[in-house]
Amino acid sequence: MNAITIVIGSICILMIAYRLYGTFMAVKVLKLNDAQPTPAHTLNDGKDYVPTNKWVTFGHHFAAIAAAGPLVGPILAAQFGYLPGLLWLLIGAVIGGAVHDAVVLFASMRKNGKSLSEVAKEELGPVAGFCTGLAMLFIITITMAGLSMVVLHALENNPWGTFAVGITIPIAMGVGLFYKKTGNLKLASTVGFILLMIGVFIGPSIQSTVLGDWLTLDTKTLSLILPVYAFFAAALPVWLLLAPRDYLSSFMKIGVFIALIVGVFIINPDIPFPAVTEFVKGGGPILPGPVWPFISITIACGAISGFHAFVGSGTTPKMLNRWTDIKVVGFGAMLVECVVGIMALIAATALQPADYFAINSTPQAFKALGMSVVHLPELSREIGLNLEGRTGGAVTLAVGMTYIFTKIPWFSGLAPYFFQFVIMFEAVFILTAIDAGTRTARYLIQDFFGEVYRPLKRVDWVPGTIFASALACLMWGYLLYSGDIGSVWALFGVSNQLMASIGLIVGATVILNIADKRRYMLTCLVPLAYLFTTVNYAGYWMVKYVYLNPAASGYNVLNGVLSIIMLILGVIIMVAAIKKWIDLFNAPRVKLKPFTV
């Protein structure tokens, strides 16, 4: 198998799916009609509700949903071989993810851009709404821990990478200040990107200095620094750090993956990985469980992701200029993210299997495999960093992309620079998600506890902001400090896919209300049936064999308790939904006007 075959075949499948299934969802199921104004027009306030060009909205939405998930999930899932991950990415994105994102966006817009918990409350009742809000709080907390875990081993004892990532903070703030003062976005972007490149290229000069010694950090230190950073980032105005970082990282992501696709077409690397490995039945050194259900909770973003529901019922529904833009922004952005996931999978499986496992396993676990590394010593020398045992996926992606790029003759001597650039590229995206996610968690905490103490609901009340931000960082920071990538990423996967199940439940209810034919509800019920079963079995497996098993390396009572609570919330929401569906089926059909709000 070679990479070009995978890339061309996958892109053709996704383009056909967008043209046929995307059109079917837009025209037949959701009945999108531009005759009625969107919430961006009816509630236009020049701040949150602003009619926006669909391509600008697409860029915002894609940058928000495509964080570390499509980069890391496929790399960890490569443990099972290239075929399971590839199939799940394609099938999951078309049948599940694109439908989920489109219907959640549509459902939120019908309710004037309200959050999914508010939509659930109106569609399914107060109990389901409360459980959805509580589940969202748990899920955003676990998501922050899962995403942050990816950064740790990439920056562990890596002063060059830590410097390159750290320098992006003042650069992003400088871009934000410069743009706010001058309004010159093009100049601010150009200067920001040049400074980012300078940060990568001067990295080697600080490695043997006092600054380099200060930036040589272990994972425990890094796991304390990240929540502290997030606390301040969540409290700063969005224009100062969040918005410019988001903008610069989107620019980098598009450029890097276009370059990777071009590199694949130039050198057409072989895929030495087998289609299926011996670990499909479980017992792998990276993920403990079998290929099902773990392939579907390991690869979330890129196939189907509940985290997208936070965006699809957050900023994006307040920006869409026309109802038909849902096809491009909701359905289309998910398929583009699938391409990102496929390219990450190619970068990982282009490595020799032994090299891949040496990077992603602890030294003890790799020794037990009885494998011998092939190119890893040579890659370590070229990059200037010991690559063994750097679990988490980020290093594997950087090594795989470096391996592909340096096969191009012009770039053969630039391995360390490519590696550190990709590390910075990944970390910037993750920090962007941490910024936005922690801020979202702060809002959820203020809403939730504001029912008990009313002043907390005021987002402009400084003590409440400090309390909510600190509590959010403390919760996910504890999970980060006490976990490992195998246990935390699995917890993230279960919670994230549970959120996707909730999104599909709400979407199915909306479709049952507005569709001309009740069978159109199957567009949500088919992926929901698979995903809900998968999530519950995966959660049960992790609780029984890992989190509450004292003999397991991932033994963690807190993770077990969180898993049980989330699964119970999911069952309550599902029961409420089934009751609602039965009532709707038994009620006489009434011809509803589309987009009744």
Side-chain angles (χ1 to χ4, degrees):
M1 178 62 69
N2 57 63
I4 285 182
T5 303
I6 294 175
V7 173
I8 294 177
S10 298
I11 290 177
C12 288
I13 290 171
L14 295 174
M15 290 176 67
I16 293 170
Y18 176 78
R19 179 67 181 86
L20 299 181
Y21 197 38
T23 301
F24 170 75
M25 287 295 302
V27 175
K28 295 292 187 180
V29 180
L30 302 180
K31 299 185 294 184
L32 302 181
N33 184 349
D34 291 333
Q36 180 167 336
T38 64
H41 287 280
T42 58
L43 300 175
N44 188 351
D45 60 4
K47 181 181 177 183
D48 295 318
Y49 291 85
V50 181
T52 308
N53 177 276
K54 68 178 177 182
W55 297 114
V56 175
T57 309
F58 176 93
H60 158 78
H61 186 80
F62 177 71
I65 66 174
L71 305 180
V72 174
I75 288 171
L76 299 179
Q79 168 187 279
F80 302 120
Y82 71 81
L83 188 59
L86 180 62
L87 290 176
W88 170 239
L89 280 164
L90 292 172
I91 297 172
V94 173
I95 304 299
V99 171
H100 168 274
D101 290 11
V103 297
V104 167
L105 184 54
F106 176 76
S108 178
M109 289 175 68
R110 288 183 73 244
K111 302 298 180 181
N112 290 328
K114 291 182 180 178
S115 70
L116 191 64
S117 62
E118 292 297 315
V119 176
K121 184 185 297 183
E122 295 188 23
E123 293 288 348
L124 301 173
V127 174
F130 172 82
C131 290
T132 299
L134 188 58
M136 290 175 73
L137 180 57
F138 276 114
I139 289 164
I140 195 67
T141 299
I142 294 166
T143 298
M144 294 303 97
L147 297 179
S148 301
M149 183 66 69
V150 177
V151 181
L152 297 187
H153 290 294
L155 300 183
E156 178 188 10
N157 299 320
N158 180 10
W160 184 356
T162 303
F163 173 79
V165 171
I167 202 70
T168 64
I169 297 172
I171 290 173
M173 294 176 71
V175 168
L177 287 168
F178 183 80
Y179 175 62
K180 187 174 181 62
K181 185 175 180 63
T182 66
N184 191 332
L185 181 60
K186 183 179 293 186
L187 180 59
S189 305
T190 303
V191 172
F193 184 74
I194 291 173
L195 290 175
L196 289 177
M197 295 301 97
I198 292 174
V200 173
F201 277 91
I202 68 174
S205 64
I206 64 100
Q207 290 192 103
S208 300
T209 65
V210 174
L211 179 59
D213 292 338
W214 289 346
L215 295 177
T216 304
L217 306 172
D218 59 21
T219 55
K220 290 300 182 184
T221 304
L222 288 166
S223 64
L224 293 174
I225 290 173
L226 283 175
V228 172
Y229 157 78
F231 171 78
F232 289 101
L236 289 173
V238 291
W239 61 264
L240 182 58
L241 179 59
L242 184 63
R245 182 192 288 282
D246 193 16
Y247 178 77
L248 289 174
S249 62
S250 300
F251 189 66
M252 289 171 60
K253 171 166 274 192
I254 294 170
V256 167
F257 275 94
I258 289 175
L260 181 57
I261 292 172
V262 171
V264 166
F265 273 85
I266 291 174
I267 69 169
N268 189 20
D270 289 327
I271 304 295
F273 253 72
V276 177
T277 69
E278 61 187 286
F279 302 117
V280 291
K281 295 181 180 179
I286 303 168
L287 300 166
V291 66
W292 185 84
F294 280 83
I295 192 71
S296 299
I297 66 167
T298 302
I299 302 178
C301 300
I304 180 171
S305 170
F307 184 67
H308 296 188
F310 289 96
V311 183
S313 64
T315 53
T316 304
K318 302 175 179 66
M319 297 169 62
L320 285 190
N321 185 44
R322 301 186 305 174
W323 286 94
T324 52
D325 291 348
I326 288 176
K327 180 184 174 184
V328 174
V329 176
F331 203 94
M334 180 65 243
L335 299 186
V336 175
E337 188 182 22
C338 178
V339 176
V340 174
I342 290 169
M343 297 311 298
L345 181 66
I346 289 172
T349 54
L351 299 173
Q352 291 292 328
D355 294 346
Y356 165 86
F357 283 109
I359 298 172
N360 283 283
S361 311
T362 62
Q364 298 82 0
F366 180 70
K367 185 177 180 181
L369 296 178
M371 295 180 174
S372 298
V373 295
V374 182
H375 300 305
L376 196 60
E378 176 188 349
L379 288 168
S380 295
R381 284 194 302 271
E382 291 179 357
I383 291 170
L385 196 67
N386 181 18
L387 300 174
E388 293 188 17
R390 290 183 177 268
T391 59
V395 170
T396 304
L397 177 62
V399 172
M401 292 179 69
T402 300
Y403 180 74
I404 291 172
F405 287 144
T406 52
K407 289 294 182 181
I408 301 172
W410 303 327
F411 302 143
S412 58
L414 297 176
Y417 296 96
F418 276 120
F419 177 84
Q420 297 295 357
F421 175 77
V422 176
I423 290 294
M424 181 189 70
F425 152 77
E426 294 177 277
V428 165
F429 259 88
I430 294 167
L431 291 177
T432 299
I434 291 171
D435 294 349
T438 304
R439 190 178 293 269
T440 301
R442 187 192 98 197
Y443 294 149
L444 289 171
I445 289 171
Q446 288 185 261
D447 280 341
F448 196 78
F449 289 101
E451 297 295 333
V452 179
Y453 186 62
R454 299 298 298 180
L456 274 175
K457 278 189 173 290
R458 288 170 40 206
V459 294
D460 59 345
W461 188 48
V462 175
T465 298
I466 294 173
F467 165 76
S469 299
L471 182 59
C473 293
L474 182 64
M475 290 191 299
W476 69 257
Y478 176 78
L479 290 176
L480 176 66
Y481 187 82
S482 62
D484 60 80
I485 187 63
S487 61
V488 171
W489 194 264
L491 182 64
F492 162 65
V494 170
S495 63
N496 190 49
Q497 301 302 53
L498 177 62
M499 189 72 231
S501 298
I502 295 171
L504 289 170
I505 288 171
V506 173
T509 309
V510 171
I511 290 173
L512 187 57
N513 270 313
I514 62 102
D516 292 332
K517 299 178 181 178
R518 284 172 167 168
R519 66 172 179 266
Y520 289 163
M521 185 184 179
L522 291 173
T523 57
C524 287
L525 288 187
V526 169
L528 173 61
Y530 171 80
L531 201 61
F532 195 74
T533 302
T534 299
V535 163
N536 280 275
Y537 180 71
Y540 161 79
W541 197 99
M542 288 299 296
V543 168
K544 180 177 180 180
Y545 295 107
V546 180
Y547 297 143
L548 300 186
N549 178 11
S553 59
Y555 174 69
N556 189 309
V557 174
L558 177 61
N559 287 0
V561 172
L562 289 175
S563 297
I564 292 170
I565 292 173
M566 287 188 300
L567 294 177
I568 291 173
L569 290 173
V571 170
I572 293 173
I573 295 168
M574 178 60 83
V575 170
I578 292 174
K579 183 178 182 302
K580 179 70 173 181
W581 296 339
I582 292 173
D583 291 342
L584 289 174
F585 266 100
N586 290 335
R589 291 290 284 173
V590 178
K591 192 70 174 180
L592 296 175
K593 294 181 179 180
F595 319 133
T596 301
V597 294

